[in-house]
Amino acid sequence: MVNKLLVWILTIILLFLGQGKINAATLSELEQQKKQIEEERFKIKTELKRENRAELVIKNSKLVVKENAYKNAIKYLTGDIKEINSEYSAYKMMNINPGEIPEPFIPIYQAAAERYGVDWTVLAAIHSIETRFSTINRMISSVGAIGHMQFMPATFVAYGIDGNGDGKISPWSLEDAIYSAANYLAANNYSQDKRKAIWHYNHADWYVNDVLATAAAFSIKNN
């Protein structure tokens, strides 16, 4: 149930975060959506004495989850996301060739890879495939993955690492995201079966193949 709620929350954030611009109209629309849900729940409560009681109870439960998602989205949007905006605004303006690794990123990949025993070119490949080296206009996917390395929030909570030593752990911090990706691969037995570890990152064989092929190309160009 918690995972479903997280998906709802991130889906709502995706819909309303956009380019990172927050305004009164956005919050007003969220409030209207929340109010509409509250009205729907009130109607359900008045109908519970009629037939299909079980069906109405299920519908009400789903609306509770959705209502909580809107509440959390509003709470998130009214918080301070200045750091999030500034973190990726610089990267998205970079003129990057997808076939080349940006030089400033290489030491970060290498340091994270050395700490967790993974290949730094695999980290670079994941970064390239997931967010084109942090240059996509928004770093929230349609399924709710967030940040430079596209973690689902619940996964990042479990595997997030303070890569830059600032005392905070954030998927919006480049160093944190890369170190967290290395930690996640290592935790999924990368040293024993790198294909399976990468598959855990995105459950698709084509994804594993793309990551390994991209990593191999990066390795040739950077050796």
Side-chain angles (χ1 to χ4, degrees), residues 4-223:
K4 290 183 179 179
L5 177 56
L6 286 171
V7 172
W8 267 112
I9 293 171
L10 267 297
T11 300
I12 300 307
I13 292 173
L14 170 63
L15 291 174
F16 296 102
L17 185 59
Q19 301 292 328
K21 297 179 180 178
I22 297 175
N23 51 49
T26 298
L27 293 174
S28 176
E29 188 169 353
L30 279 172
E31 291 285 3
Q32 290 177 5
Q33 292 286 349
K34 182 169 70 69
K35 183 177 180 180
Q36 182 178 344
I37 292 172
E38 291 171 350
E39 292 174 352
E40 289 183 38
R41 288 188 61 207
F42 178 78
K43 290 179 181 179
I44 288 175
K45 288 180 180 180
T46 63
E47 295 175 2
L48 282 176
K49 294 182 180 180
R50 303 176 185 178
E51 297 181 2
N52 299 321
R53 179 184 176 88
E55 181 179 338
L56 288 171
V57 169
I58 293 173
K59 184 177 180 181
N60 183 65
S61 297
K62 290 181 179 179
L63 284 172
V64 169
V65 174
K66 190 174 182 180
E67 182 181 18
N68 288 335
Y70 275 100
K71 288 179 179 178
N72 280 280
I74 292 169
K75 181 179 179 181
Y76 179 89
L77 289 173
T78 54
D80 182 10
I81 66 163
K82 183 178 180 181
E83 179 182 354
I84 295 174
N85 291 335
S86 63
E87 180 65 32
Y88 70 84
S89 61
Y91 298 120
K92 70 181 182 181
M93 299 303 293
M94 294 174 66
N95 184 19
I96 294 177
N97 183 338
E100 298 178 359
I101 304 173
E103 288 292 333
F105 297 168
I106 293 178
I108 304 174
Y109 301 138
Q110 291 176 334
E114 182 176 359
R115 177 184 293 188
Y116 292 100
V118 301
D119 296 306
W120 73 268
T121 51
V122 167
L123 295 175
I126 291 174
H127 193 188
S128 173
I129 292 169
E130 294 290 351
T131 61
R132 296 197 299 275
F133 296 119
S134 303
T135 61
I136 60 175
N137 288 332
R138 60 189 180 193
M139 290 192 287
I140 303 177
S141 77
S142 59
V143 297
I146 58 176
H148 299 275
M149 301 295 274
Q150 293 292 277
F151 275 95
M152 294 301 291
T155 304
F156 192 81
V157 168
Y159 297 94
I161 296 295
D162 181 7
N164 58 11
D166 66 354
K168 297 182 290 186
I169 302 176
S170 171
W172 304 103
S173 162
L174 180 65
E175 291 88 346
D176 291 2
I178 291 173
Y179 273 73
S180 299
N183 179 41
Y184 184 71
L185 291 173
N188 282 284
N189 299 315
Y190 182 91
S191 61
Q192 298 178 21
D193 189 342
K194 67 174 60 178
R195 285 192 63 89
K196 188 173 182 179
I198 296 169
W199 181 87
H200 278 286
Y201 208 97
N202 187 335
H203 296 181
D205 289 333
W206 64 262
Y207 180 83
V208 177
N209 293 335
D210 280 358
V211 168
L212 291 175
T214 303
F218 285 160
S219 181
I220 292 173
K221 289 184 177 181
N222 291 275
N223 284 332

